[in-house]
Amino acid sequence: EVPMTGALYLTTFNDELAGYFDIGREILCYGSYAECAEIVVRMLRAPEAAQAVRTAGRVRALRDHTWRRRIADLFDALATG
């Protein structure tokens, strides 16, 4: 939901997200509070980098994570499976 809006998505790391987004390029993840603070400071100091992540995340979400795409993938799986 967050990348779909064009916002910068910063969340705790989990393996499942890595299957849906390119972490570090399309969304940002942290493993500790210190790492979270470091990423926030880095993005505030480099707004062009933050914008690149926001844009890449939105492009990926619109390409791969819409309901239309999910339903099409489901029907494809049912047809082949």
Side-chain angles (χ1 to χ4, degrees):
E1 295 168 353
V2 174
M4 189 69 75
T5 68
L8 181 65
Y9 191 35
L10 173 61
T11 188
T12 56
F13 177 82
N14 72 57
D15 291 330
E16 187 175 333
L17 279 175
Y20 294 103
F21 290 96
D22 182 354
I23 295 174
R25 194 178 77 75
E26 297 170 337
I27 66 169
L28 301 175
C29 294
Y30 60 89
S32 68
Y33 292 125
E35 186 179 16
C36 179
E38 177 186 310
I39 293 168
V40 168
V41 169
R42 189 172 69 237
M43 291 296 104
L44 289 172
R45 289 183 177 159
E48 67 285 345
Q51 180 61 46
V53 173
R54 286 194 301 270
T55 300
R58 186 159 195 269
V59 167
R60 177 70 177 266
L62 289 171
R63 185 186 74 218
D64 294 343
H65 304 308
T66 63
W67 281 110
R68 183 178 300 241
R69 176 65 187 260
R70 297 268 189 237
I71 291 169
D73 289 348
L74 173 64
F75 283 126
D76 288 345
L78 291 171
T80 60

